[in-house]
Amino acid sequence: MVYLKTEEEIDLIRESSLLVGKTLAEVAKLVEPGVTPLELDQVAETYIKDHGGVPGFKGYNGFPNTLCTSVNKQVVHGIPSNKPLQNGDIISIDCGVLLNEFFGDVAYTFEVGDVSDEIKALLSVTKESLQDGIDAAVAGNRIGDIGFAVQQKAEKHGYGVVRELVGHGLGKNLHESPEVPNYGKRGSGMKLKEGLVLAIEPMINLGKRNVKQDQDGWTIVTADGLPSAHFEHDIVVRKGKAEVLSTHKWIEEVLNKKEKVK
Ligand code: MG
Ligand code: MG
């Protein structure tokens, strides 16, 4: 069932989403060659708990950690490992928080040290495709318009759009109806109404769109072994323009500062 939120509920989801953004900014400070995903996971867990939240992923269907950390060919749902990140890697970090009974769910793909121009382009187009999806998420449009917008942007650049995993409604549950695919036909699917809160999260592959599950039972990897990017925002459908409840602002402030020091 699709559940439209009241303004009070939207305020609470915004708070949860912002806490995820702040958590990822703390993590961003530490992303560099030599750090392990498990170290990042510890920092995130402590930060969330210190701010009154509960890690939203830990224990969810048995997932063991606070962060999903997906390196290079790993698309999503990577389990934080103790293998140090290397210069030139990318790491997609997805984080969920439960605060005041509502979830926030945000993802960002980070560069580790110096990455190739090819990968920089993948990250910036994936971020743009997320923005295009958000721009399409207005009252009166349909779910398919979001996926259409994301797919158009990604495929125009020759990238593969992952189909097996999708965005979703968000609220008292981490995953609510409806599903929000990152591909679709214009004007298809459920009509978007004001108060519908969605997590929009394109997963875009440098190569082909096909993915498979790793032997650990969690991690999704690209079938061709090429890198994949993942960015996610939580939004509420409004008239004329969606409101973005989450923010990447604090993450990017940290990244810009690091860039200046280089
Ligand atoms: Mg997520
Ligand atoms: Mg999500």
Side-chain angles (χ1 to χ4, degrees), residues 85-158:
L85 296 175
Q86 292 183 3
N87 188 55
D89 285 348
I90 51 172
I91 180 170
S92 299
I93 304 184
D94 195 350
C95 181
V97 153
L98 178 63
L99 180 69
N100 299 318
E101 291 180 45
F102 285 88
F103 282 92
D105 183 11
V106 180
Y108 198 93
T109 300
F110 296 87
E111 301 172 10
V112 181
D114 298 308
V115 307
S116 68
D117 288 345
E118 193 182 36
I119 287 180
K120 278 183 192 289
L122 172 69
L123 301 193
S124 78
V125 171
T126 304
K127 223 188 288 181
E128 284 173 32
S129 75
L130 169 58
Q131 186 57 52
D132 289 358
I134 293 169
D135 291 343
V138 292
N141 272 3
R142 290 178 182 270
I143 284 287
D145 292 311
I146 299 173
F148 177 81
V150 171
Q151 184 181 11
Q152 282 289 109
K153 174 61 57 77
E155 290 185 351
K156 197 175 81 183
H157 288 82

Side-chain angles (χ1 to χ4, degrees), residues 203-246:
M203 289 147 256
I204 307 295
N205 299 344
L206 184 61
K208 296 217 160 52
R209 70 173 176 83
N210 311 71
V211 296
K212 58 184 186 182
Q213 191 162 48
D214 198 57
Q215 283 169 344
D216 65 13
W218 278 105
T219 316
I220 304 296
V221 299
T222 58
D224 60 15
L226 292 174
S228 183
H230 180 213
F231 290 85
E232 178 177 28
H233 268 313
D234 304 330
I235 66 109
V236 57
V237 174
R238 305 276 195 196
K239 270 187 198 142
K241 193 177 194 303
E243 181 189 346
V244 184
L245 301 173
S246 53

Side-chain angles (χ1 to χ4, degrees), residues 105 168 175 199 201 232:
D105 183 11
H168 49 92
H175 296 118
E201 49 177 318
E232 178 177 28

Side-chain angles (χ1 to χ4, degrees), residues 1-260:
M1 211 185 88
V2 172
Y3 179 46
L4 303 176
K5 272 71 179 181
T6 65
E7 289 303 324
E8 288 76 17
E9 290 170 328
I10 291 167
D11 287 344
L12 293 174
I13 298 171
R14 189 187 297 104
E15 268 186 56
S16 304
S17 302
L18 294 179
L19 178 53
V20 187
K22 286 178 183 161
T23 304
L24 289 177
E26 287 304 304
V27 168
K29 292 176 185 170
L30 302 170
V31 173
E32 58 185 16
V35 77
T36 70
L38 209 46
E39 286 167 337
L40 303 177
D41 183 71
Q42 295 296 312
V43 166
E45 179 167 346
T46 302
Y47 189 86
I48 291 167
K49 288 179 175 168
D50 285 351
H51 291 79
V54 175
F57 295 170
K58 200 168 184 172
Y60 186 85
N61 292 335
F63 189 79
N65 292 81
T66 294
L67 299 179
C68 292
T69 56
S70 307
V71 179
N72 297 334
K73 71 171 182 178
Q74 298 178 340
V75 180
V76 286
H77 301 169
I79 298 172
S81 75
N82 56 13
K83 183 169 177 258
L85 296 175
Q86 292 183 3
N87 188 55
D89 285 348
I90 51 172
I91 180 170
S92 299
I93 304 184
D94 195 350
C95 181
V97 153
L98 178 63
L99 180 69
N100 299 318
E101 291 180 45
F102 285 88
F103 282 92
D105 183 11
V106 180
Y108 198 93
T109 300
F110 296 87
E111 301 172 10
V112 181
D114 298 308
V115 307
S116 68
D117 288 345
E118 193 182 36
I119 287 180
K120 278 183 192 289
L122 172 69
L123 301 193
S124 78
V125 171
T126 304
K127 223 188 288 181
E128 284 173 32
S129 75
L130 169 58
Q131 186 57 52
D132 289 358
I134 293 169
D135 291 343
V138 292
N141 272 3
R142 290 178 182 270
I143 284 287
D145 292 311
I146 299 173
F148 177 81
V150 171
Q151 184 181 11
Q152 282 289 109
K153 174 61 57 77
E155 290 185 351
K156 197 175 81 183
H157 288 82
Y159 300 141
V161 177
V162 174
R163 298 191 178 205
E164 289 81 353
L165 298 124
V166 295
H168 49 92
L170 181 75
K172 284 195 173 177
N173 297 295
L174 180 58
H175 296 118
E176 297 185 357
S177 289
E179 291 194 340
V180 187
N182 295 302
Y183 64 96
K185 284 201 177 83
R186 244 181 198 156
S188 70
M190 195 192 85
K191 199 171 232 183
L192 304 175
K193 290 188 180 149
E194 284 179 87
L196 179 64
V197 175
L198 301 174
I200 303 180
E201 49 177 318
M203 289 147 256
I204 307 295
N205 299 344
L206 184 61
K208 296 217 160 52
R209 70 173 176 83
N210 311 71
V211 296
K212 58 184 186 182
Q213 191 162 48
D214 198 57
Q215 283 169 344
D216 65 13
W218 278 105
T219 316
I220 304 296
V221 299
T222 58
D224 60 15
L226 292 174
S228 183
H230 180 213
F231 290 85
E232 178 177 28
H233 268 313
D234 304 330
I235 66 109
V236 57
V237 174
R238 305 276 195 196
K239 270 187 198 142
K241 193 177 194 303
E243 181 189 346
V244 184
L245 301 173
S246 53
T247 181
H248 292 152
K249 175 181 78 177
W250 298 305
I251 297 169
E252 287 172 353
E253 280 173 9
V254 169
L255 299 181
N256 290 338
K257 247 186 231 165
K258 281 163 86 178
E259 191 62 31
K260 272 187 201 151

